[in-house]
Amino acid sequence: MSLSRLHVAALASALVAVALIAPATTQAAGTTVSLGTASGIGKVLVTGKGVTLYLFEKDKKGGGKSTCAGSCAKFWPPLITKGKPVARGGVKSSLLGTIKRSDGTSQATYAGWPLYTYTGDSRPGQANGTGLTAFGGTWFPLHSTGKKAG
């Protein structure tokens, strides 16, 4: 079966249209935040993959900005979201929000705290960053109440 040039052109146009629409759909999805268990701490906020989420005390709660950028953000990656964060399993959606980072990306927040992961946590259930002082402040996981854990 051979396709005419008209059919090939129509198929190519349809594929281009799908490619142009797909990124907008993907970007609308928000990052998932749920409750998980961190070794020695108990129930804390985690990413959709179960990685512990942290607050940075140098950030002012409800201050509307992150103070962790550059090398800080390499060790403590901000939880970036492409839409409104999604609450799952015991997380209060009313406490989830976002802030704009200096690079223009949106970072998820909880109870006014910008959220971060830690590169020293290699698998779900770890909270190796608990109580560490680095980059001018101390880092803690968060309970579902929005208070620091650990």
Side-chain angles (χ1 to χ4, degrees):
M1 171 184 198
S2 67
L3 294 175
S4 71
R5 286 186 180 157
L6 181 60
H7 286 110
V8 170
L11 181 59
S13 292
L15 290 173
V16 168
V18 168
L20 291 174
I21 292 169
T25 304
T26 302
Q27 291 180 6
T31 299
T32 300
V33 177
S34 60
L35 280 181
T37 303
S39 181
I41 297 175
K43 295 283 186 184
V44 296
L45 297 184
V46 297
T47 67
K49 295 182 179 182
V51 177
T52 300
L53 290 167
Y54 295 85
L55 66 79
F56 183 34
E57 285 190 319
K58 187 176 178 184
D59 292 340
K60 301 298 179 215
K61 181 180 177 179
K65 68 177 194 167
S66 166
T67 60
C68 180
S71 59
C72 176
K74 288 180 182 173
F75 287 96
W76 299 90
L79 183 63
I80 301 300
T81 185
K82 298 203 180 200
K84 182 172 173 30
V86 178
R88 297 274 191 254
V91 172
K92 298 173 184 173
S93 61
S94 62
L95 295 181
L96 278 172
T98 60
I99 57 168
K100 282 284 186 211
R101 294 185 53 79
S102 59
D103 64 4
T105 58
S106 290
Q107 182 175 358
T109 63
Y110 194 77
W113 291 106
L115 298 174
Y116 306 87
T117 58
Y118 176 52
T119 57
D121 292 341
S122 60
R123 65 182 183 276
Q126 292 183 325
N128 296 320
T130 304
L132 289 181
T133 299
F135 301 100
T138 308
W139 300 84
F140 293 97
L142 283 92
H143 289 297
S144 64
T145 60
K147 296 187 187 294
K148 69 182 180 182

